[in-house]
Amino acid sequence: MNNVETLCCVPRILEMGSGWFASLGSRRSTGTKLLSISGDCTRRGVYEVPLGVRLREVLEMCGAEEPIAVQVGGPSGQMVGTADFDREICFDELATGGALVVFGAGRNPLDIASKYMAFFVHESCGYCTPCRVGNVLLKERLDRILAGRGEPADLDYLQALARRSRPPAAAGSGRPLPTRCSRRSGTSAGPTRRW
């Protein structure tokens, strides 16, 4: 356990006791979490929060005005929309290594997904098919939709391709963003209605 987050907790645990630290957080996820928050918010920075805090509370803390989505856990994490803002940040519900990127009302989630996919396509080592081919196909389809040539079946195509690509991937770049866009949150369906 030699990481900054763990080392930051040690002095307070020694001072206050392990029982005190275990009393923080939720029943299933005790302790605190460091969140590095960036994006469309007025108070970007690193926040220490108790595990079990609702995403909506974190958005209020960081001054997110009219957020439409949050990328949780970095580019290969998951994008959640407003319907998921009451989920808890904890190991069992909305897990994250600590990165949160807030996207405001002026953003298009599909444009965000396309930019993340460009990163994955560029960074692929080429070793496995999900990265070498799957991410390229996902990026091409997202760009087609963004160019106004999308069809309603494209969302099903994206989800199916992302699901097929995910299990055999050798690295994180083979675990593409569209798999992690929550359909129930509306982050993937909303903007495509403009076709």
Side-chain angles (χ1 to χ4, degrees):
M1 301 294 193
N2 190 10
N3 64 57
V4 172
E5 188 169 21
T6 301
L7 294 175
C8 284
C9 295
V10 171
R12 294 289 292 180
I13 293 171
L14 291 175
E15 177 186 349
M16 305 294 288
S18 60
W20 166 81
F21 190 74
S23 72
L24 300 172
S26 68
R27 183 174 48 83
R28 298 171 296 171
S29 300
T30 61
T32 61
K33 184 74 189 155
L34 293 177
L35 299 177
S36 176
I37 303 173
S38 62
D40 299 328
C41 54
T42 58
R43 293 182 295 276
R44 297 167 197 88
V46 178
Y47 291 75
E48 183 176 18
V49 297
L51 285 163
V53 65
R54 298 207 179 276
L55 180 57
R56 183 174 310 281
E57 295 172 60
V58 172
L59 293 171
E60 289 170 11
M61 277 188 263
C62 72
E65 298 173 9
E66 298 184 46
I68 61 163
V70 177
Q71 183 67 23
V72 179
S76 57
Q78 61 180 313
M79 183 181 288
V80 297
T82 56
D84 290 321
F85 287 177
D86 285 318
R87 291 177 65 190
E88 292 181 2
I89 296 175
C90 62
F91 300 122
D92 300 325
E93 191 170 335
L94 193 54
T96 176
L100 295 181
V101 182
V102 180
F103 297 105
R107 306 285 184 156
N108 180 335
L110 287 178
D111 184 49
I112 296 163
S114 177
K115 286 180 170 72
Y116 280 135
M117 289 310 304
F119 167 79
F120 288 127
V121 168
H122 183 266
E123 293 300 317
S124 170
C125 69
Y127 176 75
C128 59
T129 304
C131 296
R132 188 178 60 252
V133 178
N135 285 346
V136 171
L137 293 173
L138 289 165
K139 170 88 169 96
E140 288 172 353
R141 188 61 61 108
L142 286 169
D143 290 346
R144 186 174 98 175
I145 294 168
L146 287 166
R149 298 187 319 272
E151 300 172 10
D154 286 338
L155 290 179
D156 291 328
Y157 171 85
L158 287 168
Q159 292 289 332
L161 180 58
R163 273 192 307 276
R164 282 193 303 270
S165 296
R166 194 168 175 77
S173 58
R175 296 179 175 96
L177 181 75
T179 350
R180 312 289 286 170
C181 287
S182 171
R183 268 191 176 250
R184 66 191 170 96
S185 70
T187 57
S188 58
T192 60
R193 292 191 188 119
R194 295 184 201 147
W195 297 333

